[in-house]
Every structure is written in C-alpha cells, then in structure tokens.
C-alpha cells in the first residue's frame, strides 16, 4: 500500500497524506489521496479494512471524520466493525463531520472494518474517466485508548 511513515497508534491517520502510518499492516478498499482525504472505493474492496500490526486496545473510542456522497442522509448509514462489535452512524453529505464510536475489543482484534453506504459511481451521472465506486470520503481516523 505504498509509502509508510513513522507514527504511534495514538496519532491520527490523516487521509490526505501520501502513504499510511507504520502501525498499519494492511489497508483495503481505500482510493488515492486527494487534497482533503480519500474515498472508499468498492472497486478495490466492498468495505474499507484497516489491519493493524498490533491488537487494538481492549476499550477505545474511534473518531472518524468523514462525509458521504449521497445527498439523502437516511441512506448514508456507515457500519464499523471491530471483532464482533458493530456500531453505525449516518454520515452527512455536505460537511465532513466527526463521529465518535466506542468499542469493547474483548477478542483482541487488530482489524477495523468500515462498511460504507451503497457506493456511487460517478460515471452513472457525470462525464469523465473516474470509475471509482465511492462510499464515504475519509478525512481522518483516530483511536483513543479508554483504559489509560
């Protein structure tokens, strides 16, 4: 997945940066960096999957700053899975908002899986060569350990 840069799991993943922090082992379903972030892309993988080198904290908050492509917020349900815990939120279309989700990671999972809403293919409504199937636009992601 390209270049990695030195970082700690306490640091925010900033999606406009080139590359990813070195605490990540693998990333799937995420498109290339743009000026403010990255789109999830169902052409690459149905869901965005972040595999960490180490298990995630046993109790943590996940802060996601993102927005969805679809104008109907009721259709913009984003599901986030860690181990057997699933949380969801409805992403805004206009603004990149911060969504905070709490997880108990009793299985010592090292994977965060984000299931975006139904992807939008720009070629359905727009001219151009961009064939990505966009779900949500990710600006940042942060893990806050609640045990410390």
């Amino acid at each position: 997945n390209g270049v990695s840069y030195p970082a700690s799991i306490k640091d925010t993943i900033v999606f406009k940066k080139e590359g990813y922090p070195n605490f990540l082992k693998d990333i799937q379903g995420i498109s290339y960096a743009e000026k403010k972030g990255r789109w999830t892309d169902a052409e690459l993988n149905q869901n965005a999957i972040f595999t960490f080198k180490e298990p995630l904290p046993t109790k943590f908050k996940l802060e996601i700053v993102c927005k969805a492509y679809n104008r109907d917020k009721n259709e913009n349900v984003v599901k986030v899975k860690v181990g057997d815990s699933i949380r969801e939120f409805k992403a805004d279309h206009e603004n990149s908002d911060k969504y905070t989700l709490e997880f108990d990671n009793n299985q010592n999972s090292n994977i965060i899986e984000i299931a975006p809403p139904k992807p939008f293919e720009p070629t359905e409504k727009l001219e151009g060569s961009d064939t990505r199937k966009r779900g949500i636009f990710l600006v940042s992601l942060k893990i806050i350990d609640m045990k410390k």
Side-chain angles (χ1 to χ4, degrees):
N1 289 314
V3 182
S4 71
Y5 55 85
S8 155
I9 197 163
K10 296 174 191 162
D11 296 329
T12 301
I13 300 171
V14 179
F15 289 100
K16 69 181 179 181
K17 279 186 170 183
E18 202 55 51
Y20 289 98
N22 61 357
F23 56 78
L24 285 170
K25 181 176 165 183
D26 188 44
I27 302 100
Q28 297 175 41
I30 304 288
S31 189
Y32 51 84
E34 297 184 24
K35 191 164 46 171
K36 294 184 178 180
R38 297 173 192 248
W39 285 101
T40 60
D41 184 356
E43 277 294 310
L44 301 173
N45 200 60
Q46 190 64 37
N47 294 337
I49 301 173
F50 300 89
T51 305
F52 292 75
K53 290 181 178 174
E54 303 289 330
L56 295 159
T58 54
K59 187 170 181 65
F60 68 93
K61 286 183 186 177
L62 181 66
E63 290 182 351
I64 303 174
V65 177
C66 68
K67 68 178 180 179
Y69 200 93
N70 194 326
R71 291 186 188 280
D72 183 354
K73 189 170 181 174
N74 290 324
E75 291 187 18
N76 290 337
V77 176
V78 178
K79 293 182 180 179
V80 182
K81 181 179 179 187
V82 175
D84 62 4
S85 297
I86 298 173
R87 305 286 181 269
E88 61 182 52
F89 62 91
K90 290 181 181 175
D92 190 49
H93 164 75
E94 295 294 325
N95 303 302
S96 294
D97 289 336
K98 182 194 295 184
Y99 303 93
T100 303
L101 309 169
E102 289 189 18
F103 286 94
D104 289 315
N105 182 25
N106 299 323
Q107 297 86 19
N108 291 318
S109 176
N110 67 329
I111 296 173
I112 295 174
E113 184 170 355
I114 301 173
K118 179 182 179 281
F120 173 82
E121 296 177 59
T123 52
E124 290 173 354
K125 296 180 183 170
L126 305 172
E127 296 296 321
S129 60
D130 189 346
T131 59
R132 292 177 292 171
K133 292 184 177 179
R134 304 172 191 198
I136 56 172
F137 188 73
L138 294 166
V139 176
S140 66
L141 188 144
K142 183 174 178 69
I143 293 165
I144 301 165
D145 191 338
M146 294 171 61
K147 289 279 189 182
K148 293 185 177 179

